Amino acid sequence: MEKKLKVLLIEDDTIEIMKLNRTVSTLDIKHDIIEANNGEEALRILKEEQSLPHIILLDLNMPKINGLEFLGILKNDDTLKYIPTIILTTSNNQKDLLECYRIGIAGYVLKPLKYEDYVSKIEKLLAYWSINELIKA
Amino acid sequence: MSQEQLDILQRALARERAARKQAEKILEEKSAELYQVNKKLEESHAELMSLYDKTNSQLQGVFENIVDAYVIMDLWGNILKMNDAAVKLLGFNDVKTNSNLMELVDPKEIEKVATSFKTLMEKGVITNFKVKIVTKTGEKKLAHINASVIYEKGIAVGAQGIVRDITVESDYQKSIEAERQKYMSIIDNMNLGLVEVNNEDEIQFVNQQFTEISGYSKDELIGQVGGQLFPVDKDKDIIVLENEKRLKGKSNSYEIEVNTKSGEKRFWLISGAPNYDISGNVTGSIGIHLDITDAKRNTELIQEQKRELDVIINNSSIGIVLTQYGDILKTNATFQDLLGYSESQLNEFSIKDLSFEEDYPESKYYIDKMNLGEIDNFTVNKRYKKRNGSVIWAKTNVNAVRDNDGNIKFQVALIEDITSERERTLIIDMINNLTKSILGKTDVNEIAWEIVNNIAEYLDSEDCVIYLVDHNNNTLEQIAVYGEKLDEDNKIRNKLTVPIGEGIVGSVVKSGISEIIKNTSKDKRYIVDDKQRFSEITVPIISEGRVIGVIDSEHKDKNYYTKEHAKALESVASLVAIQLRTAINIRERKKAESKNEHLLLELAKSNDELQEYAHIVSHDLKSPLRSIEALVSWIKADNSGKFDDVSLQNFDLIATTLEKMEQLISDILTYSSIGSETQEEQEVDLNVLIDELKQILYVPDHVSINVLNTLPTVKGDKTKLQQLFQNLISNAIKFNDKDSGVVNINVEEKKSFYQFSIQDNGVGIDKKYHDKIFKIFHSLNSSKESTGIGLSIVKKIIDLFKGEIWIESEKGKGTTFHFTLKKS
């Protein structure tokens, strides 16, 4: 059964956040979206929140702690490392891709130019993870 | 024998017989009386004794006064009586001594005495009898005896004699004889010819030597007139004159030329003295003759030799100096020329005045030894000051001339100018040393240090600097120094940089010609470096016609450097030029290499940064595009049905523009990523690759893609190979305006590479653009599908594969791209 996901979106671009929220709002299952504008905020949220998110959507290009750094911190944390983290980025840089997989990610999704393509990708992504068995905190 | 004689003899014989008969008769008569006679004899002996005693006393008075020794002996030699003189002569103690005279005779003379005794008995007397005796005291004496027999009644009873000691007298005679013999021997053997003449100049006596020098025998000479026989005509007057002087009692000495018997002309030195008789009258003269011909010739020879020697000395190529206690007494022309002084000027000098203080110790060492008598000569190489202030090096051989006591009277110095020889040796040594020391050195500074050290030593200078020309800045830079310019840490003090053309070194760089400055204070170009010095020599180091450096040396004295120095330094310059050039090149290459290395690192870094930057930029650029896209689509969605067709069309245009924008960004990113992304190389089958491309690419129906040949499998980055073919094929498709488009892919295998061609029958490219099309952002068409980066990407990939790409095209007819890929 498809379940409602608690998604931590780490994204500094307001429009990107709007895009995800708008996309999620059109879906049957209203997933919980927790927003963090950067890595630091995300870490704070992760420490403060009663329950951990099911999945993390992570943008790579961010100010302060960038995506890769954040990923490194996450994967070094004994608890947080189990949270599937999906990279949502514009960068098709081979180096970034390899580096992300090396540290450990659950997916790597390129942001398409067209919004309709974006919606399609996010729908599939969330659908996929909502049918997955996830570690309950 | 005549009858008369016979008669005489017979008569004598008869007398004899008669006498004998009578004697026998007497003998018979007397024989009987013999006993009585004997008895009587004994009696008479006693009587005689008494008689003697009487007589003795009588005789005592007679002989007392005889000075000579007087002895009476009996017929057997027993001394009966003698006087005091006899006692003394014969060595007895007193007159009473009983002794036999025969005991005193030298045993060798016994025979002689016996004979004389017989004579005495027969004749009754002997006179002038000489006999050697040995006195009682053992003295050997020669005795002269006159003796007579003493008769008593007609019968000999003894003998008396006077004895004189003639030992001394006889020795005197002998010695006179010996002296005479000696003098005769001297006269005969002396080296001088001796002639005795009478007052008529007639030769009375000549000695052996005179016969030898004159050639005449004694017999030929005696009686001859010397003054006529010998002198040559012109000298005869001299003899006459000198003879006259001698007659007046004067001794004289003179030289004449004479003819000997053989007619040979000789020179005699004659010393004459008058000869006197006992009463003091001049009886002639004695002349001593010395043949001085040889001596005279020797003197002439010596004179001649002296002249010759003077000529030799004066023309000798070696300078000769006679000194006493260091002061110059005499010099030859060579030495005068050598130093440029006249003889009289030199005579005012001592050797020290002409020498250098630095050379004193060595000379002194030897002179001390010479003064101690340990050595008689020595040789040193030392310098002399010339009148014009310059210096020569000379090999100086000093010889001691000693007096009989071994003290040094003079010193003769032979002085040979070895300046140029020494120069050559020094140059050869210096060049040898330098060659050895710079062998294999490739460091400019090291080479330069060796040069300055060797040259300073050779020039005996306190300063030497190597400058290197900096052609970029048009300056000269000091790279090695010798002397005071060097600090304690072997670093150059106050490193000087001289603009080319300035100073003496700067102008030598410009001219490329060596310079010797005799007096820097008179040269306006002179630049004082660490201190003012008066001489300077500057020689360019030229390589391949370009002055690359300068060797420069200064000396405190004026007029120090010579043309030889310049030549030597030029030799050094040409010797080191190539090596220095090489070293400079190596240095520059090293500089460039390290710079390149640095640049490469920088480049790699900035490439990486650029790469990162490209990604960030592309993200940052793409994000707004995405946002615009999202916003536009939301506006459209949120206002569905509210826009008219034109607005909707414009929304589409916005979308298309955004797409193109995004494509552009992607292409730039691709282009900048080529070469930086290190994909692993793999075997890529190009046939497969083309098949895949056909799937991916949008190929319109009217265009056909044909592979004309089986394509090879190449090694490389698959993505890039794909980009390469994709770009070329898509271009061929894109720019095809024909109803039936054709894209032909072909390959030709060459030795080390494959040559591909992609041919189309499209629009073609004007020839004037052939060069430009591979440049980034150069799009010939403003087609919406073209960003103008595609061919740039192609070119970049081919460069990566070390291949080439070129184009064959005709506008309107189509284009063929040829490119090569190297077989790995």
Side-chain angles (χ1 to χ4, degrees):
Chain A
M1 198 194 102
E2 290 182 16
K3 52 187 171 285
K4 194 177 167 187
L5 293 169
K6 187 175 179 184
V7 179
L8 174 62
L9 174 68
I10 306 169
E11 173 65 75
D12 61 322
D13 192 315
T14 318
I15 293 175
E16 286 297 326
I17 298 167
M18 284 167 67
K19 276 163 76 179
L20 184 69
N21 284 330
R22 187 174 175 118
T23 304
V24 170
S25 67
T26 59
L27 299 177
D28 294 338
I29 306 168
K30 304 293 180 229
H31 300 290
D32 274 350
I33 305 295
I34 306 157
E35 295 164 21
N37 280 319
N38 52 57
E40 279 172 324
E41 199 183 327
L43 287 172
R44 206 177 61 234
I45 290 166
L46 287 170
K47 277 173 191 163
E48 286 172 359
E49 278 285 312
Q50 295 298 312
S51 56
L52 290 174
H54 293 115
I55 58 167
I56 296 171
L57 294 178
L58 176 63
D59 186 21
L60 284 181
N61 298 77
M62 284 186 304
K64 298 188 181 174
I65 303 176
N66 73 27
L68 281 171
E69 282 166 344
F70 178 80
L71 191 63
I73 294 164
L74 203 66
K75 290 295 158 188
N76 271 327
D77 189 296
D78 282 343
T79 316
L80 303 179
K81 69 179 174 189
Y82 299 107
I83 306 170
T85 306
I86 298 102
I87 305 296
L88 197 58
T89 180
T90 333
S91 173
N92 60 350
N93 191 344
Q94 189 79 359
K95 242 169 77 186
D96 288 348
L97 185 68
L98 286 172
E99 185 63 12
C100 288
Y101 276 109
R102 192 188 64 77
I103 300 169
I105 50 168
Y108 195 98
V109 177
L110 276 177
K111 292 174 185 166
L113 176 66
K114 293 195 170 185
Y115 177 67
E116 50 187 293
D117 296 339
Y118 175 82
V119 172
S120 153
K121 280 190 175 185
I122 292 299
E123 268 178 10
K124 284 166 186 155
L125 186 146
L126 292 174
Y128 168 76
W129 282 107
S130 66
I131 61 161
N132 266 288
E133 288 306 317
L134 296 162
I135 299 165
K136 300 283 189 328
Chain B
M1 196 176 282
S2 69
Q3 189 58 49
E4 193 182 350
Q5 283 171 318
L6 275 175
D7 288 345
I8 291 166
L9 285 173
Q10 275 174 346
R11 277 196 300 273
L13 198 63
R15 273 198 306 274
E16 169 76 358
R17 261 186 217 138
R20 201 169 63 213
K21 273 182 182 168
Q22 196 180 1
E24 280 169 356
K25 194 178 163 193
I26 292 166
L27 199 65
E28 277 165 19
E29 285 170 0
K30 300 295 177 186
S31 185
E33 297 170 3
L34 192 62
Y35 178 73
Q36 278 137 3
V37 172
N38 257 344
K39 276 212 161 179
K40 277 183 184 168
L41 193 63
E42 276 169 17
E43 286 164 18
S44 69
H45 184 70
E47 278 171 31
L48 195 61
M49 281 308 288
S50 63
L51 185 72
Y52 276 159
D53 287 342
K54 263 195 306 196
T55 321
N56 195 31
S57 61
Q58 287 164 358
L59 286 171
Q60 188 91 24
V62 176
F63 292 109
E64 246 167 13
N65 299 321
I66 295 172
V67 179
D68 291 325
Y70 172 73
V71 179
I72 296 169
M73 63 172 188
D74 67 11
L75 295 177
W76 295 272
N78 294 307
I79 297 168
L80 297 176
K81 195 172 171 58
M82 56 183 161
N83 65 358
D84 288 339
V87 169
K88 196 180 169 197
L89 175 69
L90 298 175
F92 291 119
N93 291 329
D94 56 59
V95 293
K96 300 282 189 239
T97 309
N98 286 319
S99 189
N100 192 301
L101 282 172
M102 295 307 281
E103 288 167 9
L104 299 172
V105 174
D106 188 316
K108 285 175 193 156
E109 306 260 283
I110 294 287
E111 194 81 5
K112 196 172 155 191
V113 171
T115 314
S116 66
F117 202 75
K118 210 171 159 188
T119 312
L120 174 67
M121 285 306 148
E122 282 170 6
K123 293 189 174 170
V125 64
I126 52 165
T127 55
N128 219 11
F129 175 62
K130 290 174 191 165
V131 65
K132 286 178 186 165
I133 60 165
V134 180
T135 67
K136 273 290 171 193
T137 53
E139 234 178 311
K140 280 187 176 168
K141 286 183 175 172
L142 186 62
H144 177 273
I145 301 170
N146 287 327
S148 61
V149 177
I150 300 166
Y151 298 99
E152 182 84 10
K153 295 164 186 168
I155 297 164
V157 291
Q160 58 182 355
I162 290 171
V163 185
R164 276 192 299 138
D165 183 351
I166 58 161
T167 316
V168 176
E169 195 181 327
S170 166
D171 284 351
Y172 181 63
Q173 288 251 324
K174 256 198 228 159
S175 70
I176 287 175
E177 180 61 18
E179 286 296 299
R180 203 183 68 86
Q181 295 260 331
K182 198 163 89 186
Y183 285 111
M184 283 311 288
S185 164
I186 289 169
I187 286 167
D188 271 348
N189 292 310
M190 72 180 180
N191 224 356
L192 302 165
L194 188 127
V195 178
E196 194 180 340
V197 293
N198 59 15
N199 284 340
E200 280 68 48
D201 201 21
E202 289 165 356
I203 294 171
Q204 304 297 304
F205 173 83
V206 295
N207 72 347
Q208 183 62 33
Q209 180 63 20
F210 189 78
T211 64
E212 277 167 27
I213 66 171
S214 65
Y216 294 100
S217 72
K218 282 184 183 179
D219 292 343
E220 286 170 326
L221 289 169
I222 303 295
Q224 293 281 349
V225 176
Q228 290 299 315
L229 183 61
F230 296 113
V232 294
D233 289 342
K234 68 176 171 71
D235 284 356
K236 279 184 175 155
D237 292 346
I238 300 175
I239 295 283
V240 174
L241 209 72
E242 296 296 336
N243 279 352
E244 274 173 22
K245 282 186 196 167
R246 271 211 294 274
L247 281 173
K248 288 173 190 161
K250 282 185 187 163
S251 294
N252 52 10
S253 183
Y254 54 93
E255 232 181 85
I256 56 164
E257 194 178 357
V258 299
N259 291 309
T260 64
K261 189 184 178 185
S262 64
E264 197 190 343
K265 296 232 179 336
R266 305 290 289 185
F267 289 93
W268 287 353
L269 175 69
I270 303 173
S271 291
N275 213 3
Y276 301 94
D277 64 8
I278 294 168
S279 38
N281 303 312
V282 175
T283 57
S285 65
I286 293 173
I288 292 168
H289 298 69
L290 177 62
D291 188 325
I292 55 165
T293 318
D294 292 342
K296 220 171 144 77
R297 282 184 194 152
N298 280 343
T299 312
E300 275 168 16
L301 216 61
I302 286 167
Q303 288 292 337
E304 199 177 321
Q305 279 173 349
K306 191 180 173 300
R307 278 194 299 276
E308 283 172 6
L309 209 59
D310 281 346
V311 170
I312 291 168
I313 286 172
N314 272 319
N315 293 303
S316 162
S317 64
I318 291 173
I320 301 172
V321 179
L322 184 70
T323 64
Q324 192 169 38
Y325 312 123
D327 291 328
I328 295 173
L329 298 182
K330 196 167 163 55
T331 54
N332 72 346
T334 308
F335 188 70
Q336 293 150 24
D337 293 347
L338 209 57
L339 298 191
Y341 289 108
S342 72
E343 179 159 28
S344 56
Q345 283 172 320
L346 283 171
N347 289 346
E348 301 296 314
F349 286 124
S350 74
I351 287 291
K352 267 194 172 181
D353 297 332
L354 299 170
S355 305
F356 279 82
E357 219 169 311
E358 296 93 311
D359 294 335
Y360 290 169
E362 198 189 0
S363 295
K364 190 176 183 307
Y365 168 76
Y366 286 115
I367 285 172
D368 287 348
K369 279 186 119 179
M370 194 179 251
N371 288 338
L372 288 172
E374 288 173 15
I375 52 169
D376 274 333
N377 63 69
F378 64 87
T379 304
V380 291
N381 289 341
K382 54 174 284 192
R383 285 163 289 186
Y384 291 92
K385 294 172 187 167
K386 288 180 72 164
R387 193 183 183 185
N388 65 9
S390 64
V391 178
I392 60 158
W393 273 92
K395 184 166 130 189
T396 302
N397 174 254
V398 180
N399 296 276
V401 179
R402 296 178 190 279
D403 62 15
N404 289 336
D405 298 330
N407 297 320
I408 295 171
K409 249 171 107 181
F410 303 109
Q411 286 172 338
V412 177
L414 307 179
I415 292 153
E416 194 179 352
D417 184 359
I418 53 159
T419 313
S420 55
E421 187 187 319
R422 189 176 178 279
E423 200 66 35
R424 275 196 295 277
T425 317
L426 280 177
I427 293 169
I428 290 165
D429 283 355
M430 184 258 293
I431 288 179
N432 272 346
N433 286 339
L434 185 58
T435 312
K436 261 185 263 167
S437 54
I438 65 171
L439 197 71
K441 288 207 164 84
T442 52
D443 183 283
V444 181
N445 290 310
E446 272 181 49
I447 293 170
W449 285 115
E450 295 296 345
I451 297 171
V452 291
N453 287 333
N454 276 287
I455 287 180
E457 192 190 348
Y458 157 69
L459 291 174
D460 198 8
S461 164
E462 69 226 41
D463 168 83
C464 185
V465 181
I466 299 282
Y467 292 85
L468 222 54
V469 176
D470 183 340
H471 288 287
N472 295 327
N473 297 329
N474 260 353
T475 53
L476 279 164
E477 176 202 2
Q478 294 181 329
I479 59 159
V481 298
Y482 173 89
E484 290 171 23
K485 284 278 288 175
L486 211 56
D487 69 11
E488 295 74 23
D489 304 325
N490 277 341
K491 294 251 161 60
I492 301 171
R493 242 188 261 275
N494 301 323
K495 218 181 220 189
L496 205 66
T497 304
V498 182
I500 290 174
E502 281 183 29
I504 291 157
V505 284
S507 49
V508 165
V509 173
K510 222 170 178 186
S511 68
I513 295 163
S514 307
E515 285 206 46
I516 295 170
I517 311 300
K518 288 170 187 271
N519 184 350
T520 56
S521 65
K522 289 188 179 163
D523 197 311
K524 283 179 186 162
R525 296 171 300 167
Y526 182 72
I527 297 170
V528 178
D529 186 354
D530 53 328
K531 71 197 252 188
Q532 162 110 33
R533 297 186 189 86
F534 286 104
S535 288
E536 181 165 1
I537 186 166
T538 308
V539 173
I541 303 172
I542 301 172
S543 172
E544 289 159 5
R546 225 155 89 110
V547 178
I548 57 167
V550 171
I551 303 171
D552 181 65
S553 174
E554 295 183 11
H555 196 274
K556 62 178 166 49
D557 297 338
K558 284 177 190 169
N559 223 356
Y560 182 77
Y561 296 108
T562 63
K563 280 179 185 163
E564 283 70 30
H565 287 146
K567 273 185 207 156
L569 261 52
E570 280 165 8
S571 301
V572 170
S574 65
L575 176 78
V576 300
I578 297 169
Q579 201 162 352
L580 211 52
R581 170 87 263 164
T582 312
I584 291 168
N585 288 343
I586 287 170
R587 184 174 78 164
E588 276 170 6
R589 203 177 68 203
K590 275 188 182 159
K591 259 192 206 164
E593 271 171 8
S594 86
K595 208 171 169 183
N596 280 351
E597 215 169 292
H598 184 71
L599 275 176
L600 272 176
L601 282 172
E602 287 278 295
L603 195 67
K605 209 172 134 195
S606 67
N607 258 353
D608 281 353
E609 281 170 3
L610 197 68
Q611 196 59 38
E612 286 304 305
Y613 186 67
H615 281 285
I616 293 162
V617 166
S618 77
H619 169 265
D620 289 354
L621 288 176
K622 280 183 178 179
S623 293
L625 295 183
R626 263 193 334 268
S627 298
I628 293 166
E629 195 346 287
L631 292 168
V632 169
S633 70
W634 292 344
I635 292 167
K636 250 171 84 181
D638 293 349
N639 299 285
S640 185
K642 289 181 183 167
F643 293 114
D644 59 7
D645 285 349
V646 178
S647 293
L648 289 174
Q649 230 173 7
N650 285 343
F651 278 123
D652 284 347
L653 277 175
I654 290 172
T656 312
T657 310
L658 287 173
E659 273 170 48
K660 190 173 177 184
M661 183 82 182
E662 210 219 15
Q663 187 58 47
L664 194 60
I665 292 164
S666 296
D667 283 351
I668 290 170
L669 192 60
T670 308
Y671 178 79
S672 66
S673 300
I674 296 165
S676 68
E677 283 166 19
T678 44
Q679 283 279 30
E680 264 188 55
E681 292 198 339
Q682 56 186 102
E683 297 286 339
V684 182
D685 186 342
L686 292 176
N687 300 297
V688 177
L689 187 128
I690 298 294
D691 281 345
E692 284 173 2
L693 272 178
K694 282 183 186 170
Q695 305 300 317
I696 296 165
L697 287 167
Y698 167 72
V699 184
D701 290 340
H702 69 284
V703 177
S704 65
I705 297 171
N706 313 299
V707 178
L708 302 180
N709 225 328
T710 311
L711 297 175
T713 298
V714 296
K715 208 174 176 186
D717 180 346
K718 191 183 172 185
T719 318
K720 293 198 175 71
L721 286 167
Q722 197 177 325
Q723 282 174 336
L724 167 61
F725 282 95
Q726 186 179 344
N727 272 294
L728 289 172
I729 293 167
S730 63
N731 272 347
I733 297 166
K734 250 186 263 175
F735 303 111
N736 205 307
D737 54 349
K738 303 296 185 298
D739 290 340
S740 174
V742 179
V743 177
N744 288 330
I745 301 167
N746 204 357
V747 68
E748 235 178 290
E749 188 174 351
K750 300 278 165 117
K751 200 177 176 187
S752 62
F753 55 88
Y754 296 107
Q755 185 177 322
F756 298 89
S757 60
I758 292 171
Q759 185 190 24
D760 66 55
N761 58 348
V763 294
I765 300 165
D766 201 331
K767 202 157 186 173
K768 63 183 174 189
Y769 299 114
H770 288 187
D771 288 339
K772 290 184 181 168
I773 52 165
F774 295 109
K775 292 190 176 152
I776 195 162
F777 299 130
H778 198 281
S779 178
L780 298 177
N781 300 62
S782 51
S783 142
K784 65 166 186 171
E785 298 99 341
S786 174
T787 58
I789 299 176
L791 281 176
S792 302
I793 292 170
V794 166
K795 176 78 167 80
K796 204 169 173 185
I797 292 169
I798 283 169
D799 284 346
L800 219 57
F801 279 88
K802 292 176 183 131
E804 282 178 60
I805 184 162
W806 64 98
I807 183 173
E808 253 176 70
S809 182
E810 208 177 315
K811 199 165 162 67
K813 289 200 174 166
T815 305
T816 309
F817 282 96
H818 298 276
F819 65 93
T820 62
L821 293 180
K822 227 177 167 185
K823 291 178 181 174
S824 50

